[in-house]
């Protein structure tokens, strides 16, 4: 298939392009490089030994998007372009609603106009809010605590409404849990700008000596050791989940959790990183982060059953690959 990947220069998008190409598909990437660089496109070419077509445009720009649809014949779209920093979204709600909603509407307009009927959307476990883990796709969604999460809930609703009026339109909504790690080549990975908000990039930066210690946000949660519990998934497993969703697409809207189904606490992840790398991570226990929940992990049985997909890589591999990328990574 010929697949358009929006946000394909980003963390999840670049790994998804590799997985698509490895599965025999061809790829066109749209990205405005707001949170990424052309380096990841070059790396995708280097890793796969294949050329890919890259268009530096804003997905919200309807006419620019339509021009790309005019020039190409797409079998499907994987829509990952979006802003994703939770804290930032609280400070700049308008920017988040505008970017994440307008880009989704724009790409959906083009799909309707050019009759492209396979659509994969990147949603997030954040839509489950304060439901109790393991999260299942049928749970009633709880309000999220930030504009970023709200944009995901709204996009899910938009897609569901469109599918109701267009019987040919097939949508897979993928609710990601916590992607970490990097492609095993060490050439692409997660490279947050500024001080990382998320746990794994913070750990790798402590290991590199950029920060003296890790702040663990609270140790009084109702979990095995009191620290927050999450479902960490290797980004290449997540990427392969997109390929499965695109290949197994059937009419209507289908929602899938992409996780491992296993909860790992902060302390367990620190231990796994130390075991994988031989590097000690100093830490201090600090106050809980506002908006954090105790436990977040997936029920993954639906994706296993319907997509014949499941995460294969273990926690040690995720830590090793994250560290390999961090060591190679030079800030631009
Ligand atoms: P990322 O920031 O690395 O990638 C997103 C890409 O989209 C970037 O390359 C950015 O430049 C591009 N982009 C943003 N707005 C754009 C626009 N209007 N036009 C064109 N390009 C635009 O983030 P990621 O981690 O790869 O996340 C990809 C998607 O998955 C996002 O929608 C994010 O909300 C969602 N998601 C991510 C996580 C996670 O933990 N990383 C979890 C759940 C959901
Ligand atoms: C964050 C986002 C969430 C998003 C998800 C994946 C917030 C409030 N939530 O969730 O919306 O879907 O990323 O992108 O930002 N931790 C520390 N020290 C740190 C960093 C994190 O102890 O320096 C802890 C957290 O309290 C949490 C765990 O590590 O228990 C994982 O945190 P993080 O990587 O930020 O992911 P989420 O909290 O799941």
């Amino acid at each position: 298939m010929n697949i358009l990947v929006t946000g394909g220069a980003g963390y999840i998008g670049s790994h998804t392009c590799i997985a698509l190409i490895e599965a025999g598909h061809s790829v066109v990437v749209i990205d405005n490089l707001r949170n990424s660089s052309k380096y990841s496109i070059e790396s995708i070419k280097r890793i796969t030994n294949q050329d890919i077509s890259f268009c530096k445009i804003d997905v919200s720009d309807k006419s620019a998007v339509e021009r790309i649809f005019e020039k190409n014949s797409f079998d499907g779209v994987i829509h990952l372009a979006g802003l994703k920093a939770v804290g930032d979204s609280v400070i700049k709600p308008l920017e988040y609603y505008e970017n994440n909603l307008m880009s989704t509407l724009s790409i959906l307009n083009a799909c309707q106009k050019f009759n492209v009927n396979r659509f994969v959307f990147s949603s997030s476990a954040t839509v489950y809010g304060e439901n109790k883990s393991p999260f299942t796709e049928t749970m009633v969604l709880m309000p999220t605590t930030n504009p970023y999460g709200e944009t995901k809930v709204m996009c899910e609703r938009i897609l569901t409404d469109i599918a109701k009026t267009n019987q040919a339109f097939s949508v897979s909504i993928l609710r990601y849990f916590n992607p970490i790690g990097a492609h095993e080549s060490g050439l692409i990975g997660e490279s947050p700008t500024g001080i990382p908000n998320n746990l794994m990039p913070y750990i790798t930066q402590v290991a590199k000596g950029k920060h003296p210690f890790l702040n663990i946000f609270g140790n009084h949660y109702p979990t095995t050791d009191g620290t927050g519990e999450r479902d960490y998934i290797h980004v290449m497993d997540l990427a392969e989940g997109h390929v499965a969703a695109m290949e197994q697409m059937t009419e209507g809207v289908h929602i899938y959790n992409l996780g491992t189904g296993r909860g790992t606490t902060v302390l367990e992840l620190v231990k796994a990183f130390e075991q994988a790398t031989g590097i000690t991570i100093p830490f201090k226990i600090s106050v809980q982060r506002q908006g954090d929940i105790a436990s977040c992990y997936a029920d993954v049985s639906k994706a296993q059953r319907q997509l014949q997909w499941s995460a294969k890589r273990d926690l040690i591999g995720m830590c090793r690959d994250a560290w390999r990328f961090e060591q190679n990574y030079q800030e631009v």
Side-chain angles (χ1 to χ4, degrees):
M1 287 188 272
N2 189 27
I3 311 294
L4 174 64
V5 183
T6 76
Y11 174 48
I12 299 169
S14 54
H15 291 82
T16 298
C17 288
I18 293 172
L20 285 165
I21 294 166
E22 281 172 354
H25 303 293
S26 54
V27 163
V28 174
V29 169
I30 295 182
D31 201 301
N32 62 2
L33 303 184
R34 175 161 175 176
N35 195 36
S36 50
S37 77
K38 191 99 194 286
Y39 175 79
S40 55
I41 302 294
E42 297 311 320
S43 298
I44 297 168
K45 291 182 189 169
R46 214 170 126 194
I47 291 165
T48 60
N49 212 10
Q50 277 197 37
D51 206 13
I52 60 168
S53 168
F54 172 64
C55 318
K56 184 174 181 283
I57 61 155
D58 195 304
V59 187
S60 315
D61 183 341
K62 270 173 82 174
S63 38
V65 169
E66 285 186 10
R67 280 197 292 278
I68 291 169
F69 276 71
E70 268 157 18
K71 282 195 208 129
N72 296 271
S73 170
F74 295 122
D75 300 293
V77 171
I78 300 182
H79 178 46
L80 300 122
L83 299 176
K84 63 163 182 176
V86 174
D88 207 30
S89 79
V90 176
I91 298 163
K92 305 174 202 155
L94 184 57
E95 213 175 299
Y96 271 68
Y97 284 116
E98 185 167 13
N99 188 72
N100 291 3
L101 296 178
M102 297 308 275
S103 60
T104 304
L105 294 173
S106 162
I107 197 79
L108 284 170
N109 264 303
C111 285
Q112 297 252 45
K113 191 165 173 182
F114 292 85
N115 212 20
V116 176
N117 285 318
R118 285 169 181 254
F119 196 88
V120 173
F121 177 66
S122 58
S123 189
S124 166
T126 197
V127 300
Y128 291 111
E130 304 226 346
N131 273 294
K132 194 173 165 348
S133 289
F135 297 144
T136 53
E137 291 88 347
T138 48
M139 279 176 166
V140 174
L141 302 185
M142 296 261 198
T144 67
T145 52
N146 56 79
Y148 162 74
E150 288 307 304
T151 68
K152 293 297 177 194
V153 174
M154 288 176 185
C155 288
E156 287 198 7
R157 286 207 195 110
I158 293 169
L159 288 163
T160 308
D161 286 342
I162 292 175
K164 276 186 202 150
T165 60
N166 179 356
Q167 301 298 312
F169 194 52
S170 310
V171 184
S172 285
I173 292 172
L174 306 182
R175 293 181 179 156
Y176 310 152
F177 282 70
N178 290 56
I180 59 171
H183 187 262
E184 61 175 15
S185 63
L187 287 173
I188 55 167
E190 191 173 15
S191 43
T193 46
I195 297 172
N197 292 311
N198 297 117
L199 181 59
M200 182 52 105
Y202 205 98
I203 292 176
T204 57
Q205 291 195 5
V206 170
K208 210 174 185 181
K210 280 175 128 179
H211 312 288
F213 57 87
L214 167 73
N215 271 307
I216 294 185
F217 299 144
N219 65 348
H220 286 97
Y221 286 110
T223 59
T224 47
D225 57 28
T227 64
E229 183 180 43
R230 297 290 183 271
D231 186 340
Y232 299 99
I233 173 169
H234 195 294
V235 66
M236 278 309 296
D237 277 326
L238 190 79
E240 288 160 9
H242 291 72
V243 179
M246 189 49 87
E247 289 178 348
Q248 315 279 330
M249 186 88 68
T250 52
E251 276 168 25
V253 180
H254 303 277
I255 302 177
Y256 299 104
N257 286 337
L258 296 189
T260 62
R262 283 184 301 278
T264 300
T265 66
V266 178
L267 281 171
E268 284 167 347
L269 188 66
V270 168
K271 271 198 208 106
F273 187 86
E274 293 181 337
Q275 196 188 327
T277 63
I279 300 167
T280 302
I281 301 297
F283 64 82
K284 288 186 184 170
I285 305 294
S286 69
V287 291
Q288 290 182 8
R289 182 171 64 180
Q290 217 191 339
D292 267 358
I293 54 170
S295 190
C296 168
Y297 58 92
D299 177 328
V300 289
S301 52
K302 187 176 173 192
Q304 283 174 353
R305 207 173 47 245
Q306 293 190 9
L307 300 178
Q308 288 86 51
W309 168 90
S310 57
K312 295 183 186 65
R313 296 156 177 93
D314 66 9
L315 207 56
I316 296 290
M318 297 181 212
C319 294
R320 204 182 36 231
D321 291 343
W323 176 231
R324 188 185 297 112
F325 174 71
E326 181 70 55
Q327 285 172 291
N328 285 346
Y329 180 63
Q330 310 279 343
E331 247 164 278
V332 276

